[in-house]
Amino acid sequence: MTELSLLGRSADESRRELYDALTDAEPGDELAVEADRDVDAHLVRYQIDRGRALDWEYAHPDAEPRELRVTKGEPLAEGELGTIDVRDLKPQRRHEALLDIFDELEPDEGFVLVNDHDPKPLYHELKSMHGDVVEWEYRNRGSDGWRVAVVKTGESDADDDDVVTRYDVREIPKQERHPTIHHRYGMIPEGGTMELIAPHEPKPLRREFRQQYGGSFAWNVVEKEPGRCRVRITKAREADDGAADEPERDASDAPSGDGSLEIREELDVRDRPPAQRHELIFESYADLDDGEGFVLVNDHDPKPLYHQFEAEAGPEFRWEYRQKEPGEFRVVIGKAERVGSATSDEGPTTPF
């Protein structure tokens, strides 16, 4: 096995050295690669440029530096697309890598995406950012992975605006809009901006943001005309919280589990589609008896959940952070024992 360290290399240097190592390798050879950042865009680009299949897997979904093994495959058949399997990446890394890859595509170039659930939110995101140049063809939908061929059919309409992502909600089915927006917003960095294009100002969504995120965002209407409204939502940096919409109540102020809760289960939602996460969490909470709790494992800070629980649950609600690491947050969520009242299984209702 060939070892390749790309630590300290620029993006261009990383691509060049990775290309050279792969070109020198024989089909079936493995490269053990260590890098400061994800190299998925380089590997997809290599498959396009050199017409060679590659397969790779990261040693850890989120650990840095990034460590992965890359296997060189056989030449791609005429018209065959290279593949990227993102099932071993955290959701935030998936979006970043796939957006970068699509940005680099020339017209009529593409790739096959392999995911653990329907990646339809990515379709809406790409189309909103690049215009009507996204060809999206499902190749497989099943328990062994979803496979989608993604092709850029023309020149992108993307502009240079300073936004992390954009959604034209007019193109998204109503039942998918809010889960898609909240899920993606949770992954953008502090100081990052999400742009929404809607037929009118989405005031119900703004109320949800106020309820769930407190004062940790800024809401700016940048364009408003009949049938079209553009809103930019910026996630406040920690030092900017005082300038946002309203004072934010910190989840760290929630009543602690203080060790008295009986932990029933560990609920890991990292591989769940966005639309299923809140429903599953609230169902688990509703099933708790007094004095019980569960450990929620998420890929980003689930603070929005705290705001909703705090607003809708009773005084028995308990919330305690156990771990705050990139890609892995652990929170105890439970119901404390109540004195002088009957047990209730009713938890807060989901807004979706």
Side-chain angles (χ1 to χ4, degrees):
M1 180 185 298
T2 302
E3 295 185 357
L4 177 64
S5 175
L6 302 176
L7 298 176
R9 308 294 197 274
S10 68
D12 289 341
E13 290 171 337
S14 294
R15 175 169 293 188
R16 184 169 58 253
E17 293 185 28
L18 187 58
Y19 270 40
D20 289 344
L22 288 168
T23 299
D24 291 341
E26 297 293 329
D29 286 352
E30 279 192 349
L31 271 66
V33 180
E34 188 177 31
D36 296 311
R37 60 183 67 84
D38 294 327
V39 295
D40 305 88
H42 300 335
L43 296 171
V44 172
R45 190 73 243 172
Y46 182 89
Q47 294 179 84
I48 294 171
D49 292 342
R50 304 297 171 86
R52 280 276 182 176
L54 298 176
D55 182 66
W56 64 95
E57 182 176 1
Y58 286 91
H60 187 279
D62 209 48
E64 295 181 352
R66 307 296 281 145
E67 296 180 356
L68 64 154
R69 291 191 176 186
V70 184
T71 303
K72 184 174 181 178
E74 298 294 335
L76 295 172
E78 182 72 24
E80 183 181 1
L81 299 176
T83 298
I84 174 172
D85 187 335
V86 299
R87 288 176 292 185
D88 65 333
L89 290 177
K90 297 293 186 183
Q92 183 171 359
R93 291 188 180 273
R94 295 182 190 186
H95 278 258
E96 291 174 353
L98 293 166
L99 291 177
D100 287 345
I101 290 166
F102 195 87
D103 283 344
E104 291 190 13
L105 294 179
E106 297 294 333
D108 298 323
E109 291 182 342
F111 58 92
V112 172
L113 165 63
V114 182
N115 199 24
D116 48 22
H117 61 270
D118 188 351
K120 191 65 173 292
L122 176 69
Y123 168 75
H124 295 305
E125 187 170 9
L126 291 175
K127 190 170 181 181
S128 297
M129 297 187 73
H130 294 273
D132 195 20
V133 296
V134 183
E135 182 179 286
W136 184 272
E137 180 189 354
Y138 287 100
R139 298 280 181 87
N140 185 65
R141 313 181 198 211
S143 58
D144 58 341
W146 292 68
R147 299 175 68 88
V148 183
V150 184
V151 176
K152 181 184 284 187
T153 60
E155 294 292 343
S156 173
D157 293 338
D159 52 41
D160 296 326
D161 284 344
D162 188 21
V163 298
V164 174
T165 188
R166 175 181 293 110
Y167 283 101
D168 187 337
V169 301
R170 299 170 299 181
E171 303 293 331
I172 304 176
K174 287 185 177 181
Q175 70 273 17
E176 298 176 17
R177 291 177 184 176
H178 287 204
T180 297
I181 292 166
H182 282 290
H183 175 66
R184 187 67 176 98
Y185 178 82
M187 292 189 287
I188 69 173
E190 290 181 354
T193 297
M194 165 187 281
E195 182 173 277
L196 304 179
I197 303 172
H200 49 75
E201 184 177 354
K203 292 181 180 180
L205 179 68
R206 184 178 186 179
R207 287 195 292 269
E208 283 186 17
F209 266 67
R210 280 178 168 170
Q211 180 186 50
Q212 297 191 31
Y213 307 115
S216 62
F217 72 96
W219 179 283
N220 296 302
V221 177
V222 296
E223 179 185 344
K224 196 170 186 179
E225 60 184 42
R228 178 182 171 88
C229 179
R230 281 198 303 132
V231 176
R232 290 190 173 179
I233 309 170
T234 300
K235 182 181 289 187
R237 299 182 189 277
E238 194 166 322
D240 296 337
D241 284 351
D245 262 353
E246 298 174 356
E248 179 182 13
R249 300 185 66 176
D250 193 342
S252 63
D253 294 333
S256 169
D258 67 23
S260 63
L261 297 176
E262 178 185 349
I263 303 301
R264 285 178 40 170
E265 64 174 335
E266 181 175 286
L267 182 63
D268 190 337
V269 299
R270 289 174 292 182
D271 290 331
R272 294 276 183 166
Q276 295 181 8
R277 294 188 184 192
H278 279 204
E279 181 180 358
L280 181 60
I281 293 165
F282 287 117
E283 285 178 353
S284 297
Y285 183 83
D287 287 341
L288 295 175
D289 291 327
D290 289 352
E292 294 183 336
F294 61 90
V295 177
L296 171 65
V297 185
N298 200 25
D299 46 45
H300 58 272
D301 190 348
K303 186 184 291 186
L305 282 169
Y306 162 73
H307 292 301
Q308 187 170 346
F309 273 115
E310 193 273 338
E312 301 184 21
E316 72 278 7
F317 164 60
R318 293 294 182 268
W319 175 285
E320 181 181 1
Y321 284 103
R322 291 287 179 86
Q323 179 177 331
K324 298 181 180 182
E325 300 290 343
E328 187 167 329
F329 282 73
R330 291 175 176 267
V331 183
V332 173
I333 300 175
K335 296 179 181 178
E337 293 281 1
R338 291 181 290 177
V339 179
S341 63
T343 298
S344 171
D345 288 332
E346 293 300 320
T349 57
T350 170
F352 307 134

